[in-house]
Amino acid sequence: MDVSTWPDWERVGRRFGKRLRDVFDPRPAAPGPSPEEQRAQRLRDASVGLVYFDTLEEVESWNHSDVDPIQQPNQPLLARTAGQIYHGQNTNGPTTKLLLCHDYKGGYHAYESVRPAALNCIGYSCNYLEFVDTFIYFSHKLICVPPATWTNALHRNGVKVLGTVLIEPQTARMDHLLFKKDGVFLFAEQLAEMSDAYGFDGWLFNIEQDAPEASGEWGSKLAVFLSDLRKMMGEQEKILWYDALTLEGDVYYQNGLTPMNHEFAKASNGLFTNYKWTEKKLAESKTFARDIHFPTADVFFGVDLWAQNTDMPGPKRVTYPPEGGGGTNTGLAMSLLSASGFSTAMFAPAWVYEHFPTSAPVGSGLKDEPSIAHQVDESLWTGVPLPDNLLCDCRKGRPHHTKYYRNHPITRYAQQYAAGSSRFFETRFIPAFRPIFDQEQGHQVRFRPSLSSQDPVPNLVPGLARDWHEVNKGAMTRVLYGELNTHPQPSLKILTKVAGCYEASEGHTLACAANLILFNFNMPADDSLAMSITIQQAEHIYNVTSGIKMTFFNFVRRKYYGICHTLLPSLGHGESVVNLPVNENNATLVALGVFMEGEPDTSVPVAILEITSIIIRPKEVVATQYGLQLRDIHIKDRAHGSGAEKRVAWDWETVPGRHGHTWPIGMPWSRTTGPFASFTVRIGDEVAGEAYCLEFPLRNEDIKDSEKWVTISVVGRLFGGGFTDCSSISIPRAELMMAGDNMKR
């Protein structure tokens, strides 16, 4: 008897079960906008820089000429370097690559657009990007293009960003996905061109609908589709397959790498598994990966942060560990994945900003007090203690105050990357949300989104944050720590304080030589780079010496060593640029930090330094004056699907009569703005905003208080510092007034 011809009864049962469910428990169609309303909203969103597609027809009709400059990021992906991260005396165990899958309140928020309005509370951003390998922008749209603001922030921090292809049960015309013309998958061709046009790094494929063909032939065709798309996009781009559809054409979550999904994983760059995996499934996946020679690091096991909630409607969500997994126990899953050699995919890292209050705690009396959401996010990543009352909807017990979270923060297990590239690093400490202060009341009242400007963030505490809090219980000792300052300008303030318990130290404070690593690097110390730090000595403290400490690794002697550069008290309170050599024989620069020696005559926290920028770049950039200027500043009408608007536009050139220079190897160069990182636009005496392309949308409110003539000026800022002269234009106010304000969303 030839059993190979028998039906696959398990598969037949799954499909039959789905049909019965649809007959006896039909799911009513979710109320939503009509196709016409969807299209109108999509066009409105596109006019403020947010791009997505709801139907296959929209994808098929898309053309590169549809791209608006404000929809394109200008920040190239900073090439990260490989190598061990220097942790001082601390040693880390195995780590896991970390992927973040966005899915924040449906996606495409106003704060992610160009020229966003001020907010009462901050939205989601990530302040720990040195621990993130890949970021997926996810929303319940057919095609999710990452907003340019996100791509700029992520690329500046060296993180790859992927869009999403999401085919849900209600998606129409799924059979057209694999349509070919002249032997080419048309849909793949469009996706490859989209990722190039909108400047991001690849796609996540999530197909949650059974294949239109009953046999496994459709799955084989889909694997070829993925392979062809990968070739079209090039080796530098990335495709991930989500563990939903199997090779047989059924939606059947495997929760691991199995014979049912490995062909899709091989055709892509890796697999993003479902969230209900177990230790047994992990072991089976590891064995199978070894058998088929598939890298375990390319399998990202999903962790659903929402699974920890106890009061969610519908069936309980489950992730590892089965009891209490997700949420503040995310690090517990990562500890197992890191030990097994697999990678981690965090689903909904913005959970903290949806589940917990995002405004200042009630009764705090301070509007600039960190929100509960901010404190939970810090605890999730670093292990600091949670607030006692989280004010969330979980009324059953205290599910987030687990016994594990303090010892299993995300940063303990996530692979950390060196800051910058091998030849370039820049930060001005600009956050994703900048507070707007009430000058009379003296505290912040709202927040100005600045996601496109988000800079690399330094380490702020010595060692793991959980150890930082334990220091307060031990013997009294003096420590260095950092605080990010946002007013009147972004900066990093370095402070010192006495931490510990008086009784534990028998009344004596230990003298110290305190150090704080700010950034880890992997850069050559061969005198080809120059470092400049804009700094001021916040306060002169007697008996204290402080300054910058550079740590090097001698690759011949296999030895770490530090060099301290003392900042003299003569700096006073004025801002100075300190230029430091990066020149050590047979060595690489592996860390930059601050040091303090001596014992201040005060026990209260005191600021010793304030840093407003750190730049490391090729020496020839410092030595050469690039003759660049802006030109042809003018007003243009930009038509789009929801109307038209006025924009100020410009171009750039080498100053006539000046010899151009080759842009140094290793310096960022934008496909859209060349050597320019951004442009500051002023209307009258007020800064209207930052531009990341060669156009800037205007609003009626920009000129409502103007006289008959309006002066608009633009200044370009180069990658690695430096500015052009101001270019201006004066326009009659009447010519700038628009019938409607299309930038309002």
Side-chain angles (χ1 to χ4, degrees), residues 441-487:
Q441 298 183 39
H443 61 69
Q444 65 192 41
V445 290
R446 303 192 80 190
F447 295 90
R448 175 70 64 189
S450 53
L451 188 57
S452 247
S453 306
Q454 183 179 352
D455 273 328
V457 177
N459 303 316
L460 300 179
V461 296
L464 289 173
R466 58 189 182 88
D467 298 330
W468 164 253
H469 282 266
E470 293 300 324
V471 163
N472 293 321
K473 300 177 183 179
M476 292 170 62
T477 185
R478 183 167 290 280
V479 293
L480 283 180
Y481 63 102
E483 289 182 356
L484 289 173
N485 198 30
T486 55
H487 185 76

Side-chain angles (χ1 to χ4, degrees), residues 95-163:
T95 58
T96 170
K97 285 197 299 185
L98 180 61
L99 175 154
L100 302 184
C101 188
H102 173 256
D103 197 27
Y104 174 47
K105 293 183 178 179
Y108 297 105
H109 301 282
Y111 81 84
E112 300 167 329
S113 66
V114 297
R115 297 209 66 187
L119 303 173
N120 292 324
C121 305
I122 65 173
Y124 171 67
S125 65
C126 180
N127 291 322
Y128 304 91
L129 291 175
E130 73 269 31
F131 294 96
V132 179
D133 177 82
T134 304
F135 183 95
I136 296 172
Y137 194 87
F138 186 94
S139 176
H140 286 274
K141 309 289 185 184
L142 173 67
I143 300 294
C144 305
V145 173
T149 51
W150 268 109
T151 304
N152 276 334
L154 294 162
H155 279 183
R156 186 177 297 109
N157 286 270
V159 180
K160 284 195 170 186
V161 54
L162 309 185

Side-chain angles (χ1 to χ4, degrees), residues 241-275:
W241 177 259
Y242 182 70
D243 166 32
L245 191 74
T246 67
L247 284 165
E248 293 181 343
D250 297 323
V251 175
Y252 185 31
Y253 306 105
Q254 300 296 290
N255 298 293
L257 180 69
T258 76
M260 301 281 275
N261 58 26
H262 77 287
E263 288 298 335
F264 295 141
K266 281 187 170 182
S268 308
N269 297 93
L271 177 69
F272 179 161
T273 81
N274 195 47
Y275 317 109

